Amino acid sequence: MTNRAATALFILWVAALALILAPLALGLGGSTQIEGPGLDGGRILELAGNSILMSLGAVALALVLAVPIGLTTARLMPPKRALLLLTFAMAPLFIPPPVVAIACARLFGPAGLLTDLITGGQPSFAVSARAPAGAPKVPGAPIYSIPGGSFSLAIALFPLAVLAIHAALRRANPEAESAALLEARPGRVLRAVTLPLAAGGIAAGASLVFLFAITEFGVPETLRSLPVLVSEIYVQFGVYYDTRSALMAALTIVGLGAGGFALAAVILRATGLGDIDHGDSSNADATRLPGLLSLKAAGWVLGIVPAVGIVAVLIATATGPQGHLAVWRDTLKTAHEELLFTLGLGVGMAILTAAVGAVLGAALWTRRRPIGWRLLVAAPLIMPGPVLGIGASILLHRPPGSLPLRLDDALASLAGTLVPLMAIWVLRYAPVVALIVEGLLRSMPAAWTEQTRLDGASFFEWWGSVAWPVCWPGVIGGMLAALALSLGEVGAAVLLLPPGPTTLGVRLATLMHYAPTGQVSALSVMTLLPGLLAYAGAVGIVVAAKGKQADKVH
C-alpha cells in the first residue's frame, strides 16, 4: 500500500467518524426539549462527578485484581502456565458487560446471595438522588449504587490492566532483579525492584480501565440506570425525547472520554507500551522470582474466579418453581429467534470488521511515526454506544433539503434497515483488528517486504504472499473478538435497530427488570456463551500459530 493510498484511507476513516459525530454539535443549537425534566449545569456536573467517581472506583478495584495476576504471569511461573492463567484472566473481556452486571446483581441484588452480609437486611440503597420524596425504597441492593457500578465495571475491565502490567514486565530488563536476588529475599525484591518496574504498566492499565469505564453504557443501565452521564444520555433521548439535553450530556461525556483518551495515550507513550514495534521480550524469562507461594495462589484465584464465577452464578440462578430444565426450555423457546438473528448479524458484521480492520492495519504499518494515526484509528473504541447511536439517528432523520445532492433522502432511506447499526459496529470494532494487524506486520522481517518490492509485486500480491501468512491469526482472532463484543452491545442497537427481530442484548435489556430471575439468568448465559466460544476459537488460533512459528524456527 502506497503512502498516498494510506493517507486517503485515513481521510475516509476520519470523514466517517466526523459524519457520525457532527450532529452532536451541529444539532445542539436547533434541538428543542419535547418533554421531561431536562438538564441544567448543576445536574450535568453532578452526573459527571458520579461518572468520574464510579470510574475511579473501578480503577482501584481492577488494580487489586490485576496486579497479583500480572506479577504472577510475568515473574512467578513458566510461559505455558502463564499463558493458561492469562487465558482465564482475559475471558471477562469477551463476556458482555451487562451480563457481568447481572451476575453481580445475583450476588448483591435484592435477593442476592451476599446482600444480607453487607446490608444486615436493611433496605436503604436508593437508585438515584432524583427519586421523588415518598418513592418506595429499593430492597436491600448494594449493587444498585455507584460503588456497585464500580465493582461490576472492575470485573468486566480488569483484564485490560492485567495485559498492561504483564506487557510492562515482559519488556523490563531483568538484570536488576537478578542482582538483587543475590543479596535479598524474593519478597523484598518484589517490593523494591519488580513493583517499580511494573509501575508504568500499572499506570497504563489504570488509564485504560478508567477510559472504558467512564464510557461503558451496559453496566450502569443494567443496574437500574445509575445516575451517571452515559445512562442519562439514553434516558433523555430515548425516554423523554429531549434531544437538547441528550446532546449536552453526550458532548460532556465525549469531552471526558477525550481527556481520558489523551491521558491513556500519554501514559502508553511514556512507558513504551504504545510502541508496537519497540521493546524486546526475549530475555523476559531470565529472571523468575522463587517462592512467593501466597502471591502465586492469589494470582491463580483472582485470574480464574471472575469468569468461572460469572458463569457459575448465572447457571445456578437460572431456575424457577419448576426447576432448571423448565426455565431453560422456556427461555430457548422464546429467545431462539433472537439468538439466530444475533449470530447472523454478528457474523456479517465481524467479516466486514475484519476486512476494514486489515486494510487499516496495513495503512498504519506504512507510517514511520504511527502514534498519531493510531489515535485516529482507535478513537471510536471509547465512544459510548448511545452517543454514536444518537449521532446516527439525527443524521438519518434530517429535514428534507437540508443536505446537498439529496443526501438527506439517501440517508433517510437507510433509516429502516440494518445498515446504520452495522456501520456503527464496524466503526467501533475495526480498530481492534487494525491494531493487531499492525503489530503483526511490524514484527515481520523487513527483508520479506523489500524482496517483493524488488520483484515488482503489487500490493495485493504482497498481501497474499507475504502479509497474509503473518497476519491471518490476528485477522481471524480480531474477527472473533468483534463478534463477541457485538453480542451484548445495547447502546447503539436499542436506538438503531429497525422494527422486527431484535438482538439478545436488547432483549436482555428489555427483560432484566421485569422477567423472572431464572429466565434473565438463562438468557444471560445464552448471550455470553457465543462470546466465550469465539474467545476459545481465538485462543486456539493463537496457540496454533505460535506452534507453527516455533516449528519454523527449529
Side-chain angles (χ1 to χ4, degrees):
M1 180 179 293
T2 64
N3 287 334
R4 184 176 297 178
T7 301
L9 182 63
F10 288 130
I11 292 175
L12 288 175
W13 179 260
V14 173
L17 185 59
L19 187 66
I20 298 297
L21 296 180
L24 300 181
L26 299 178
L28 188 60
S31 60
T32 57
Q33 178 177 325
I34 297 179
E35 58 178 279
L39 287 178
D40 55 23
R43 178 59 176 168
I44 288 180
L45 288 177
E46 177 189 355
L47 294 170
N50 288 343
S51 299
I52 294 172
L53 183 62
M54 185 175 68
S55 300
L56 290 176
V59 168
L61 294 172
L63 291 180
V64 171
L65 296 172
V67 170
I69 300 171
L71 293 174
T72 301
T73 55
R75 286 295 185 265
L76 301 183
M77 56 177 54
K80 290 185 178 180
R81 292 183 183 178
L83 179 61
L84 178 62
L85 179 53
L86 283 174
T87 300
F88 278 103
M90 293 303 106
L93 286 179
F94 288 79
I95 298 176
V99 173
V100 175
I102 289 173
C104 292
R106 295 295 175 261
L107 292 175
F108 304 108
L113 303 176
L114 303 177
T115 299
D116 287 343
L117 295 178
I118 298 175
T119 67
Q122 299 298 318
S124 59
F125 288 85
V127 175
S128 172
R130 299 190 79 187
K137 291 182 177 180
V138 178
I143 197 65
Y144 299 128
S145 62
I146 296 299
S150 297
F151 179 81
S152 302
L153 286 168
I155 298 298
L157 299 175
F158 82 90
L160 296 173
V162 172
L163 284 177
I165 295 169
H166 180 84
L169 288 175
R170 293 285 292 179
R171 290 170 179 264
N173 191 332
E175 293 181 359
E177 293 168 291
S178 300
L181 282 172
L182 297 176
E183 302 178 359
R185 294 182 178 180
R188 186 172 181 180
V189 174
L190 177 72
R191 293 190 300 271
V193 181
T194 307
L195 278 176
L197 289 175
I202 293 173
S207 65
L208 289 173
V209 172
F210 178 85
L211 175 63
F212 285 96
I214 205 168
T215 57
E216 167 57 36
F217 172 73
V219 167
E221 184 61 23
T222 300
L223 301 179
R224 297 185 178 178
S225 294
L226 292 179
V228 293
L229 274 172
V230 71
S231 291
E232 195 69 19
I233 294 170
Y234 173 71
V235 170
Q236 294 295 331
F237 188 82
V239 178
Y240 297 134
Y241 305 104
D242 185 349
T243 306
R244 182 177 179 81
S245 294
L247 292 180
M248 290 171 60
L251 290 174
T252 304
I253 199 169
V254 167
L256 291 175
F261 191 54
L263 176 63
V266 169
I267 294 175
L268 289 172
R269 181 65 173 171
T271 58
L273 296 177
D275 296 328
I276 297 177
D277 56 337
H278 177 72
D280 180 18
S281 62
S282 60
N283 61 352
D285 295 315
T287 295
R288 191 174 303 130
L289 300 178
L292 302 177
L293 296 180
S294 59
L295 179 59
K296 186 183 296 184
W300 276 107
V301 171
L302 295 176
I304 292 177
V305 165
V308 174
I310 289 170
V311 177
V313 167
L314 292 174
I315 291 178
T317 56
T319 186
Q322 297 179 346
H324 287 274
L325 291 179
V327 170
W328 283 102
R329 182 180 63 250
D330 294 342
T331 303
L332 185 61
K333 181 179 179 180
T334 58
H336 71 279
E337 291 184 2
E338 285 84 356
L339 177 61
L340 295 177
F341 176 74
T342 302
L343 290 177
L345 185 64
V347 169
M349 181 278 305
I351 293 173
L352 289 174
T353 297
V356 173
V359 177
L360 282 173
L364 285 173
W365 174 73
T366 65
R367 307 286 94 172
R368 292 186 178 181
R369 297 181 178 179
I371 183 66
W373 302 102
R374 287 179 195 151
L375 295 178
L376 284 176
V377 170
L381 283 174
I382 54 93
M383 296 292 174
V387 171
L388 295 174
I390 290 174
S393 181
I394 296 175
L395 186 66
L396 294 173
H397 297 91
R398 299 289 299 175
S402 60
L403 294 176
L405 303 177
R406 303 187 67 179
L407 290 177
D408 49 339
D409 293 337
L411 291 171
S413 65
L414 300 176
T417 70
L418 293 172
V419 173
L421 180 60
M422 294 278 283
I424 293 296
W425 282 357
V426 170
L427 193 69
R428 290 193 72 186
Y429 305 136
V432 176
V433 180
L435 295 175
I436 294 173
V437 168
E438 186 208 356
L440 292 173
L441 288 176
R442 292 191 184 280
S443 68
M444 184 176 60
W448 295 3
T449 300
E450 292 298 327
Q451 184 61 46
T452 58
R453 288 178 178 174
L454 292 175
D455 294 339
S458 66
F459 169 77
F460 296 102
E461 291 172 336
W462 166 80
W463 178 262
S465 62
V466 177
W468 178 250
V470 174
C471 294
W472 73 266
V475 174
I476 303 300
M479 181 176 68
L480 294 174
L483 172 62
L485 291 170
S486 71
L487 293 172
E489 204 282 330
V490 179
V494 76
L495 295 173
L496 296 177
L497 268 177
T502 188
T503 64
L504 282 175
V506 173
R507 182 176 178 84
L508 187 60
T510 303
L511 296 179
M512 70 179 83
H513 301 313
Y514 308 104
T517 297
Q519 183 180 352
V520 173
S521 293
L523 189 60
S524 298
V525 175
M526 289 178 58
T527 304
L528 69 84
L529 188 59
L532 289 181
L533 291 176
Y535 175 56
V539 171
I541 289 171
V542 171
V543 172
K546 285 190 173 183
K548 291 182 179 180
Q549 185 178 8
D551 293 339
K552 289 181 179 180
V553 172
H554 293 297

